[in-house]
Amino acid sequence: MKFSKFIVIAYVVVSATAVYASDNDYGQNPAFNLVAGGNNVFYGIVNGDGSSFNTGAVYSWNDASNSYAAVADNIPNIAGTPVVASDGSIYILSSTGALDPNGALYHIVNGVTTPVHVFTNTSGERANPNFITMVPDGRIYGTTLNGGWGGNGTIFVYNPKDSSFSSPCIIN
């Protein structure tokens, strides 16, 4: 494939500050990318939130005040990078868990975590979600590691406006 035009974006780091919690109140082992949420606030996940080995937490870090806080914890087998909706709420995945053995999509509002879709892996559906992204109209697109008719994964869509969920693409 040949590209005739491209854009290179570069960031120059002028200074860097190490940010960390001095205890395990908010978890350990940060994973995946930080996501900008506006007003100098970034969100990320940690694997292991102190309550259990197989749970994780979503945390926030405010660049302006250099403050770090737990947003939600005790999320089983947290997976992927969180997405921040225009209303400031957060969506995150779990890949597996006791109540959701094939994974779930969670919505976090004011520290309250609610599953909005539990993956069933039935009738060629999907299992073990691993990635989500939000498009400008608010829909959330994601992928699963396996599931679908061939067991090779799916692409799914969740619409928060009407709570609809579909898997328009089965990966064979």
Side-chain angles (χ1 to χ4, degrees), residues 24-42:
N24 272 350
D25 287 348
Y26 303 130
Q28 58 193 11
N29 303 328
F32 303 101
N33 299 325
L34 287 174
V35 176
N39 297 325
N40 294 319
V41 177
F42 296 86

Side-chain angles (χ1 to χ4, degrees), residues 98-163:
L99 298 176
D100 52 354
N102 293 301
L105 173 64
Y106 290 93
H107 187 207
I108 303 168
V109 180
N110 298 323
V112 177
T113 305
T114 306
V116 294
H117 182 77
V118 176
F119 294 84
T120 63
N121 200 29
T122 58
S123 301
E125 190 194 33
R126 52 244 154 217
N128 305 102
N130 64 342
F131 174 80
I132 54 175
T133 190
M134 184 174 278
V135 297
D137 70 4
R139 288 178 295 157
I140 296 170
Y141 285 80
T143 58
T144 62
L145 289 175
N146 48 35
W149 296 301
N152 298 317
T154 63
I155 296 172
F156 63 85
V157 182
Y158 173 73
N159 188 341
K161 293 177 184 172
D162 62 8
S163 299

Side-chain angles (χ1 to χ4, degrees), residues 4-171:
S4 59
K5 296 181 181 180
F6 61 91
I7 298 172
V8 175
I9 300 174
Y11 292 97
V12 177
V13 177
V14 177
S15 65
T17 303
V19 178
Y20 65 95
S22 60
D23 53 35
N24 272 350
D25 287 348
Y26 303 130
Q28 58 193 11
N29 303 328
F32 303 101
N33 299 325
L34 287 174
V35 176
N39 297 325
N40 294 319
V41 177
F42 296 86
Y43 296 93
I45 67 166
V46 290
N47 293 318
D49 63 5
S51 66
S52 171
F53 177 74
N54 290 327
T55 62
V58 176
Y59 66 89
S60 66
W61 176 62
N62 187 311
D63 183 38
S65 65
N66 197 25
S67 59
Y68 174 85
V71 174
D73 61 2
N74 204 25
I75 301 170
N77 294 308
I78 201 166
T81 302
V83 296
V84 181
S86 60
D87 64 2
S89 64
I90 299 169
Y91 290 88
I92 190 67
L93 294 170
S94 71
S95 60
T96 59
L99 298 176
D100 52 354
N102 293 301
L105 173 64
Y106 290 93
H107 187 207
I108 303 168
V109 180
N110 298 323
V112 177
T113 305
T114 306
V116 294
H117 182 77
V118 176
F119 294 84
T120 63
N121 200 29
T122 58
S123 301
E125 190 194 33
R126 52 244 154 217
N128 305 102
N130 64 342
F131 174 80
I132 54 175
T133 190
M134 184 174 278
V135 297
D137 70 4
R139 288 178 295 157
I140 296 170
Y141 285 80
T143 58
T144 62
L145 289 175
N146 48 35
W149 296 301
N152 298 317
T154 63
I155 296 172
F156 63 85
V157 182
Y158 173 73
N159 188 341
K161 293 177 184 172
D162 62 8
S163 299
S164 63
F165 188 94
S166 66
S167 289
C169 181
I170 305 295
I171 300 168

